[in-house]
Amino acid sequence: MITRTASAARAVAVGGPILAAEGLRVRFGGLEAIGGLDLAVARGAIHGLIGPNGAGKTTVLNALTGFVRPSAGRLTFDGVETAGKGVAEIASLGLARTFQNIRLFGAMTVLESVLVGAHRRFHAGPLALVFGARKAREAERAAIAEAAELLDFVGLGPEVAARVATTLSYGHQRRVEIARALMSRPKLLLLDEPLAGMNAVEKVEIADLVRQVRERGISVLLIEHDMAVMRALCDRLTVLEYGKRLADGDPEAVLADPAVQAAYLGRAR
């Protein structure tokens, strides 16, 4: 059972939002997938983004991370305007994500998969790598030690580090993805349905892991369909319907909103 903690019930904004979207619009040809969305994720918060299938939740994450270009609107992350910037440039600011469908490299080990997350901060030059310079070796050892620590943090012991990542169970592959994202040392972690396909025990474990991520000072924007988890875990919820914001606020109030129940939970208005 996932229970709502005191820390998850408090107001957590410190110095304003770490991420904000104002009037965000995304069009695919003649289809407007996101229509003028305003969204603010408080620094230090776990912010939930919910809505029916097809509401535009993943499209919002894609726009925030540079995978799709907004048609209009303003995006800011940690004080920097990001609308129109590329994926790598946005990631370098401290924004990391996981995906709705697991994306691991088929031939890589678990340890190698996590190390991929450190690529943007590995500064050893090609000559140093070729000739095994001391600085390069030290950087490599430090990265390996950090990756091992993160594997332990997400609940995967050293015994899986040398296994091919795609041979792990579905739930463990999800943990590898989270560790890889954390390896980039993000300020904000975007999680796209991390509990999908998991049993009740695994959901409790991953929800607890998300709390621990926040305790490390990392803000979280979370897409998830399990309302019991979202009610217990999130400081704030934003509800999308047909690419527009339907409701936003405290989870209890949002989930009690008749319009939300009609649109998302299937109850009559």
Side-chain angles (χ1 to χ4, degrees):
M1 179 180 179
I2 301 172
T3 57
R4 188 166 174 80
T5 63
S7 63
R10 59 183 171 81
V12 295
V14 179
I18 188 170
L19 178 145
E22 301 174 29
L24 175 64
R25 294 183 183 275
V26 177
R27 297 186 67 89
F28 299 109
L31 172 67
E32 186 171 69
I34 305 297
L37 175 67
D38 292 335
L39 174 70
V41 178
R43 192 180 302 273
I46 300 174
H47 191 122
L49 184 61
I50 66 173
N53 288 329
K57 303 180 296 296
T58 295
T59 301
V60 170
L61 262 60
N62 287 341
L64 296 176
T65 53
F67 282 85
V68 301
R69 185 176 293 272
S71 306
R74 185 184 182 202
L75 299 176
T76 57
F77 175 66
D78 202 23
V80 178
E81 294 199 15
T82 59
K85 294 185 183 298
V87 174
E89 190 174 0
I90 293 174
S92 71
L93 297 173
L95 195 153
R97 69 173 295 182
T98 64
F99 294 86
Q100 186 175 6
N101 299 313
I102 291 176
R103 297 188 184 184
L104 294 175
F105 299 105
M108 283 188 175
T109 68
V110 170
L111 182 63
E112 290 168 343
S113 298
V114 177
L115 285 169
V116 168
H119 74 280
R120 70 176 179 84
R121 48 187 183 82
F122 196 82
H123 302 299
L127 290 178
L129 293 173
V130 169
F131 294 106
R134 178 180 175 183
K135 184 177 180 180
R137 292 197 302 270
E138 289 175 350
E140 182 181 16
R141 284 195 294 268
I144 290 172
E146 184 175 349
E149 186 276 328
L150 283 172
L151 284 174
D152 183 66
F153 174 71
V154 301
L156 298 175
E159 63 275 6
V160 304
R163 288 183 57 182
V164 174
T166 53
T167 66
L168 299 184
S169 69
Y170 178 85
H172 283 182
Q173 288 186 47
R174 285 284 185 193
R175 292 172 188 261
V176 173
E177 278 203 319
I178 293 172
R180 181 178 64 187
L182 292 174
M183 190 69 187
S184 69
R185 300 178 185 172
K187 301 172 186 176
L188 173 64
L189 178 61
L190 280 59
L191 299 172
D192 195 350
E193 297 191 33
L195 307 184
M198 294 191 177
N199 61 38
V201 173
E202 291 172 326
K203 287 183 177 183
V204 171
E205 292 173 349
I206 296 300
D208 186 57
L209 176 58
V210 173
R211 289 194 183 103
Q212 292 177 55
V213 168
R214 191 257 292 276
E215 288 170 4
R216 289 192 166 203
I218 301 169
S219 309
V220 178
L221 178 58
L222 171 67
I223 293 176
E224 185 50 55
H225 283 292
D226 190 316
M227 292 301 101
V229 170
M230 298 301 265
R231 185 191 304 271
L233 192 58
C234 295
D235 303 292
R236 192 174 188 90
L237 281 182
T238 299
V239 186
L240 292 184
E241 184 183 30
Y242 301 117
K244 299 181 184 294
R245 191 175 74 177
L246 178 64
D248 182 87
D250 177 81
E252 295 291 343
V254 166
L255 294 176
D257 187 327
V260 173
Q261 293 179 356
Y264 190 66
L265 304 178
R267 299 178 185 176
R269 292 181 189 266

